Amino acid sequence: KKQPQVRGPQSAPDKRLNEARQHFEAGRHSEAEGVLQQVLTQNPRNLHAIFALAIIAAETGRLPDAMERISQMLSIDPNHVPALCWMSFLLLQDGQTDQAMQHAARAISKDPRNPTSQAALGRCLAALGRNAEAVVHFQRSVELNPNDPSVLGELAEAQI
């Protein structure tokens, strides 16, 4: 009779990702990036590490690096909703509103109940001055996640 497997201690990559998160939260971005690069050396397709590197790049003003990392994620998993949402956000920051809207719409098509994807499309529509349509998506986002104050603010702005 086969025994059920009991989950053992945290795997090495998980420990490394937690270590990177701790560095990031303490504002030690370069240390976090170093740990994440080590994780990628062992597994170049680790989406968590790639995503974390993209966020660090975006947070430190390196938009092209962030976009490259998100593109890398989407080449591994084209339906990764958080990556689609982040790419939409980054493209919008870069002034590429039409491409940003395509990524947000794709995220919604993959997971219409994801509040981040609804907010992403709302941001794109608002950037195009299509506030009435933006309001619909911001409202959906708020319905799905009523505790996100940033979306509430964007909803209020779009209603003006």
Side-chain angles (χ1 to χ4, degrees), residues 43-111:
N43 178 4
R45 297 173 62 89
N46 186 309
L47 293 178
H48 297 290
I50 297 168
F51 197 54
L53 285 167
I55 291 170
I56 292 169
E59 292 281 324
T60 56
R62 294 176 288 140
L63 187 63
D65 291 346
M67 292 172 78
E68 184 179 322
R69 291 291 183 182
I70 296 296
S71 291
Q72 183 182 4
M73 286 184 72
L74 291 171
S75 71
I76 295 168
D77 181 359
N79 299 319
H80 193 279
V81 173
L84 289 166
C85 292
W86 259 91
M87 184 58 92
S88 175
F89 173 76
L90 295 171
L91 288 165
L92 198 57
Q93 296 297 308
D94 197 41
Q96 299 179 53
T97 309
D98 290 339
Q99 286 183 301
M101 190 151 28
Q102 289 172 6
H103 281 80
R106 206 162 106 215
I108 288 175
S109 76
K110 300 302 173 195
D111 186 2

Side-chain angles (χ1 to χ4, degrees), residues 82-155:
L84 289 166
C85 292
W86 259 91
M87 184 58 92
S88 175
F89 173 76
L90 295 171
L91 288 165
L92 198 57
Q93 296 297 308
D94 197 41
Q96 299 179 53
T97 309
D98 290 339
Q99 286 183 301
M101 190 151 28
Q102 289 172 6
H103 281 80
R106 206 162 106 215
I108 288 175
S109 76
K110 300 302 173 195
D111 186 2
R113 301 208 33 87
N114 182 296
T116 307
S117 62
Q118 293 291 340
L121 187 54
R123 285 183 196 104
C124 294
L125 291 164
L128 292 171
R130 294 165 54 183
N131 286 2
E133 293 170 85
V135 165
V136 171
H137 291 283
F138 288 138
Q139 286 174 332
R140 284 187 193 144
S141 180
V142 169
E143 288 167 9
L144 294 166
N145 182 11
N147 300 320
D148 187 344
S150 67
V151 176
L152 288 170
E154 290 173 299
L155 172 60

Side-chain angles (χ1 to χ4, degrees), residues 12-14 16 35-46:
D14 289 341
R16 301 298 286 170
V35 171
L36 293 166
Q37 291 293 357
Q38 291 172 9
V39 171
L40 288 179
T41 299
Q42 295 171 352
N43 178 4
R45 297 173 62 89
N46 186 309

